[in-house]
Amino acid sequence: MSRLVIVSNRVGDPRKAAAGGLAVALGDALSTAGGLWFGWSGHIAEGTDAEPELREQRAGAVRLVTFDLSKEDHDSYYLGYSNQALWPALHYRLDLADFGSGFFAGYQRVNRLFARKLAPLLEPGDTIWIHDYHLIPLAAELRRLGCRQRIGFFLHIPLPPPPIFAAIPGHEWLMRSFFAYDLVGLQTRADADHFGRYVVEEAGGRSLGDGCCEAYGDRVLVRPFPIGIDVDEFRRLALSSESRETERTLREQYGHRRVLVGIDRLDYSKGIPKRLRAFRELLANYPENRNSATLIQIASPTRETLLAYEDIRHELEGLAGEINGEYGELAWMPIRYMHRTWARRRLPGLYRVAKVALVTPLRDGMNLVAKEYVAMQDPADPGVLVLSRFAGAAEQMREALLANPYDISGMAQVIQQALHMPLAERRERHKALAAGIREHDVHRWRTDFLRALADVPRDRPTAASAPA
Ligand code: GDG
């Protein structure tokens, strides 16, 4: 078996209890094959222009190798191009995208730095798996340094249709960068179709079927690999004392109410303000829910220094206050809004108490909260998942109640339907959803991807497509 090298912007430590299912699953793959996880340490180097040094830690059989970024690189590559240009644009939010001066150069520079630091650590038979939008050009940079290993890429966020992708300055360069990979994995069939359409409509290339795309005198295989969760790992968390204690407290506190839950990073892509507005409309249009329906919304802090994130935080605080002010009673607050990160071990307790989960992003690559909620339901008396049709998860989870997050009163109607769904229908929908998340779990995602990468025929020149 060839050694696995995983590269992502941040390196997760699979031993840490706080690590999410993704870190655990990738850690599993690394321990099985013996391997290396490479990326930014999360730290900013103190005022030095010197080439950053690599730091190495061991997590069992896995080597974790990281380096610090300078402030300038961090601001232009991470905060700038990755999170103010690519993140909004790939989530269809061109209105929020800032293609500011210096961002693109910083993105290129840091991808070159990743390649320069990683290349000497590679062995000829390695399989390299690169993750997410921060590192799209990394394979091209590695090829330029002579790396001929198999390199796969997985994009965790959406790939929009050609008219949106083509609005990104430098989109041709970005698209060419994908062709330095052997395999590009996307979350959904729709995303893979968008890629194929770009190749034909914008790059003058061809779709050869079965995910094979040809352009720029080169070929790349592009396929959907919908990511899942580690169902058993999550169910084990539910047995932890923290989870049980959370469940007990919530049941005591909200026993005679109907709890709805929303758990998101506080990001504009997650559609939280529209969700709150729909909840207000529910209370206005269906008064039987007053003094009963209670929305517990956790919005964990993320990318706090960016203006767009500050704006959404203020908007949410204002909305939650307005709704509580308008409808709250001494003994009932409609919205419990928390702007902090909960311990992962407490989440299962909250999912179990909630009769309804509101997962209503305006756009999402997949959305794992939808899957975690389903995994934690009691099959005998399950809650109902309200899921945005614009989450990648909606392509698979057809038995959820699908909602359009832009249609506030439509969404209020769907929430009303969820709150009052008969037991037999809840059971039937849950059964199908639970079977789906078990079949398409994170282990299947990882093994399908790595198998497809190992099977890619290697009859093409590997450095041909590296864009200048
Ligand atoms: C990207 C894509 C894609 C949330 N709040 C807390 C907390 N969480 C955990 C959830 C879940 C994870 O964070 C969020 O995952 P999502 O999938 O919902 O979203 P992103 O972070 O945007 O992830 C997404 C994903 O990559 C994987 O490919 O599905 O579309 O955007 O696990 O439970 N965890 C803790 N405290 C919190 O307050 N501990």
Side-chain angles (χ1 to χ4, degrees):
M1 198 189 303
S2 83
R3 185 178 75 146
L4 180 61
V5 176
I6 289 178
V7 190
S8 54
N9 174 55
R10 292 290 298 275
V11 170
D13 184 342
R15 298 163 304 178
K16 293 218 170 116
L22 182 63
V24 173
L26 293 177
D28 258 16
L30 288 167
S31 320
T32 319
L36 179 75
W37 194 336
F38 183 87
W40 172 42
S41 60
H43 299 298
I44 297 177
E46 306 248 328
T48 160
D49 290 336
E51 185 82 0
E53 282 177 17
L54 295 183
R55 249 192 315 270
E56 179 162 343
Q57 285 175 283
R58 284 222 156 243
V62 184
R63 286 170 70 195
L64 307 174
V65 180
T66 57
F67 61 97
D68 298 348
L69 287 178
S70 70
K71 171 128 179 41
E72 189 192 350
D73 282 351
H74 168 263
D75 289 357
S76 56
Y77 146 81
Y78 178 72
L79 288 181
Y81 199 73
S82 296
N83 285 320
Q84 292 183 81
L86 286 182
W87 175 273
L90 296 186
H91 283 90
Y92 298 57
R93 291 299 302 269
L94 292 171
D95 58 320
L96 294 179
D98 179 353
F99 303 106
S101 65
F103 289 176
F104 186 55
Y107 184 71
Q108 291 180 306
R109 188 170 64 243
V110 172
N111 270 274
R112 272 199 297 276
L113 175 66
F114 263 75
R116 206 161 61 239
K117 292 282 162 195
L118 176 61
L121 307 179
L122 296 175
E123 294 165 11
D126 284 348
T127 296
I128 304 165
W129 189 3
I130 296 171
H131 289 260
D132 234 357
Y133 57 102
H134 317 84
L135 300 174
I136 294 170
L138 183 53
E141 296 297 346
L142 287 168
R143 299 279 184 232
R144 196 168 288 121
L145 298 177
C147 298
R148 306 185 70 82
Q149 290 88 343
R150 280 175 196 274
I151 313 183
F153 177 81
F154 186 77
L155 183 66
H156 290 258
I157 67 176
L159 192 108
I164 293 180
F165 196 87
I168 302 172
H171 60 97
E172 302 92 343
W173 176 86
L174 218 46
M175 182 51 75
R176 271 190 83 124
S177 302
F178 282 118
F179 280 74
Y181 290 96
D182 293 284
L183 174 66
V184 171
L186 301 170
Q187 295 275 25
T188 64
R189 162 91 16 230
D191 292 333
D193 288 347
H194 295 156
F195 192 107
R197 274 179 49 202
Y198 182 101
V199 165
V200 174
E201 292 167 22
E202 297 282 337
R206 294 191 299 162
S207 233
L208 302 173
D210 208 21
C212 184
C213 293
E214 188 179 76
Y216 316 112
D218 208 342
R219 284 184 185 176
V220 65
L221 195 59
V222 181
R223 295 221 178 115
F225 295 90
I227 197 168
I229 61 164
D230 184 335
V231 177
D232 293 322
E233 181 256 352
F234 212 74
R235 292 187 74 92
R236 271 197 303 277
L237 276 187
L239 303 174
S240 68
S241 54
E242 291 96 324
S243 171
R244 290 221 283 248
E245 205 256 330
T246 304
E247 185 175 347
R248 199 169 40 246
T249 313
L250 289 171
R251 284 201 197 282
E252 271 166 28
Q253 224 175 330
Y254 297 101
H256 53 300
R257 315 242 187 253
R258 285 158 176 267
V259 173
L260 300 92
V261 71
I263 300 182
D264 310 80
R265 280 186 309 99
L266 180 41
D267 193 290
Y268 47 79
S269 65
K270 304 293 181 184
I272 314 173
K274 292 200 191 307
R275 181 184 309 164
L276 261 50
R277 290 196 173 91
F279 187 67
R280 171 162 64 191
E281 197 121 336
L282 174 91
L283 299 177
N285 297 351
Y286 307 96
E288 66 271 28
N289 295 303
R290 294 184 202 164
N291 266 307
S292 169
T294 306
L295 172 58
I296 300 181
Q297 175 66 55
I298 298 178
S300 58
T302 183
R303 303 171 201 165
E304 297 274 279
T305 52
L306 299 182
L307 192 62
Y309 290 77
E310 204 180 304
D311 287 350
I312 190 151
R313 179 180 169 182
H314 290 315
E315 186 181 2
L316 272 177
E317 285 168 355
L319 261 173
E322 269 173 37
I323 298 168
N324 282 341
E326 196 174 342
Y327 290 100
E329 302 285 347
L330 275 180
W332 169 67
M333 275 296 151
I335 297 179
R336 297 276 166 177
Y337 167 73
M338 278 157 282
H339 178 241
R340 58 175 180 272
T341 300
W342 269 38
R344 187 168 159 78
R345 286 171 183 281
R346 293 179 66 195
L347 296 181
L350 176 51
Y351 285 135
R352 285 170 87 96
V353 172
K355 299 274 176 230
V356 173
L358 300 181
V359 180
T360 56
L362 304 179
R363 210 38 89 170
D364 218 331
M366 177 56 61
N367 196 297
L368 297 179
V369 170
K371 297 186 174 188
E372 292 168 356
Y373 177 71
V374 168
M376 289 327 305
Q377 297 309 295
D378 171 4
D381 184 16
V384 179
L385 172 64
V386 172
L387 179 62
S388 161
R389 52 177 297 185
F390 303 122
E395 202 171 86
Q396 297 174 299
M397 304 180 84
R398 306 306 293 177
E399 296 81 7
L401 281 188
L402 295 186
N404 173 4
Y406 294 93
D407 174 4
I408 304 293
S409 53
M411 199 154 45
Q413 263 175 40
V414 176
I415 299 173
Q416 170 74 350
Q417 188 189 344
L419 282 167
H420 301 278
M421 187 182 284
L423 178 62
E425 184 180 349
R426 282 192 277 130
R427 281 189 182 156
E428 202 174 312
R429 287 178 184 267
H430 176 261
K431 193 172 168 195
L433 288 169
I437 59 161
R438 179 147 306 269
E439 189 186 342
H440 293 278
D441 70 357
V442 74
H443 302 293
R444 159 112 185 239
W445 167 74
R446 154 187 35 109
T447 46
D448 281 358
F449 184 92
L450 290 175
R451 195 169 301 133
L453 180 56
D455 288 347
V456 176
R458 302 212 79 207
D459 53 357
R460 67 188 181 96
T462 47
S465 59

